[in-house]
Amino acid sequence: TRARKYADAALGRLDAAETEAAIRDKRNKDLLMAYAIIPLKGEEDLIRRYLYLQQFLRESRQFGAQRSASEKKAVETALRNLATNAGFSDTMRLTLRMETKLVEDNRELFEEKTVGEWTFCLVIDDRGMAEIHCRKDGKLLKSVPAKAKKEPCVLRRTDMKKQLTDQFRRTRRMFEQAMEDGAVFTLEEMVQLCRNPVAAPVVTKLVFRSGEAYGFFDGVALTNLDA
């Protein structure tokens, strides 16, 4: 049965949207793993599927320990399948690209937007945590006023804030796993990570090894600890 699902996915017999609905309805792990093999229709399709798998993983935490662990393994396999489908060498490289693209595609939400008497802006602090800033007459308010929370521009920024908070947690877990695995990053990947305002605060606080040297990565090069 699993092989048939994989074959149908690889041959394009499964529709991604219909498969998502079926997975949601039954929490079918075999179908989830096959879903990642369905031929991709570009990078937008790729990031949508990546976020869908992350959502499935997040939802699995509401179940018991055994089921949660089982679904987590299914997501890990699905992510490997998705990475292979998209031409990445491993899931870490897929994750790096998807997390960076999530920020790149929503740059306009970091720009100020004025609605009535308020000005809104999505901000990422020096810890990598996202916040919504609201100003009135140039003064920063402690929170978004209740009557402004349903404004479309606020709803978009609120949704993005949740996604960026999840991204921060994923980035931290990814580097914890990378440390255990002794993962190797290229200079290009490190520079790209430091351009991501969510990942940069995590990356720049870690100690890396390059050859026999140890140090912090400042966004351009390794600062030797012995210096």
Side-chain angles (χ1 to χ4, degrees):
T1 301
R2 178 181 297 173
R4 185 165 59 248
K5 287 186 175 72
Y6 270 51
D8 287 344
L11 293 171
R13 294 172 182 164
L14 298 183
D15 177 78
E18 291 176 359
T19 304
E20 287 175 8
I23 294 169
R24 267 193 301 268
D25 184 44
K26 302 285 187 180
R27 302 288 297 183
N28 188 300
K29 295 188 290 294
D30 287 346
L31 201 55
L32 181 80
M33 293 183 286
Y35 162 74
I37 299 175
I38 299 172
L40 292 161
K41 298 178 180 178
E43 199 163 37
E44 293 303 320
D45 184 25
L46 174 59
I47 193 168
R48 183 177 64 83
R49 293 203 217 174
Y50 172 79
L51 291 175
Y52 181 83
L53 294 176
Q54 295 296 346
Q55 179 186 350
F56 185 93
L57 177 62
R58 192 164 55 249
E59 293 169 349
S60 71
R61 294 169 192 149
Q62 65 185 296
F63 304 115
Q66 186 173 356
R67 178 173 175 181
S68 180
S70 175
E71 290 194 348
K72 180 182 178 181
K73 286 184 178 179
V75 171
E76 290 171 352
T77 299
L79 284 170
R80 286 197 296 270
N81 290 344
L82 186 62
T84 301
N85 192 5
F88 290 91
S89 59
D90 53 43
T91 57
M92 185 175 66
R93 267 70 193 180
L94 168 69
T95 300
L96 291 177
R97 177 55 190 153
M98 293 299 95
E99 302 296 3
T100 300
K101 184 167 175 57
L102 184 62
V103 174
E104 289 174 350
D105 288 353
N106 292 277
R107 286 288 182 187
E108 77 277 7
L109 299 182
F110 296 90
E111 299 172 1
E112 291 190 342
K113 175 74 173 179
T114 300
V115 179
E117 56 189 327
W118 304 291
T119 298
F120 302 100
C121 183
L122 190 62
V123 175
I124 298 176
D125 65 20
D126 57 5
R127 299 168 300 157
M129 300 300 293
E131 300 175 345
I132 298 176
H133 281 189
C134 176
R135 297 182 184 275
K136 182 179 179 181
D137 299 327
K139 182 181 178 181
L140 180 64
L141 304 182
K142 290 184 178 179
S143 61
V144 176
K147 56 184 177 180
K149 288 184 177 179
K150 292 187 178 180
E151 290 287 346
C153 77
V154 175
L155 291 174
R156 284 192 66 200
R157 284 163 175 78
T158 299
D159 180 63
M160 191 60 193
K161 176 187 172 183
K162 293 177 182 176
Q163 291 190 51
L164 292 174
T165 299
D166 288 339
Q167 180 181 133
F168 174 81
R169 292 169 181 157
R170 289 194 296 266
T171 301
R172 188 171 57 187
R173 286 196 300 269
M174 183 184 72
F175 275 99
E176 288 172 352
Q177 188 62 51
M179 179 187 67
E180 293 180 13
D181 296 342
V184 177
F185 295 89
T186 66
L187 176 61
E188 182 182 358
E189 288 169 339
M190 294 297 296
V191 171
Q192 185 182 69
L193 277 167
C194 287
R195 289 174 182 163
N196 182 333
V198 176
V202 177
V203 174
T204 54
K205 290 180 176 65
L206 299 175
V207 176
F208 290 88
R209 186 183 75 182
S210 178
E212 297 302 317
Y214 290 83
F216 296 101
F217 190 78
D218 62 6
V220 178
L222 197 71
T223 302
N224 198 324
L225 287 176
D226 296 329

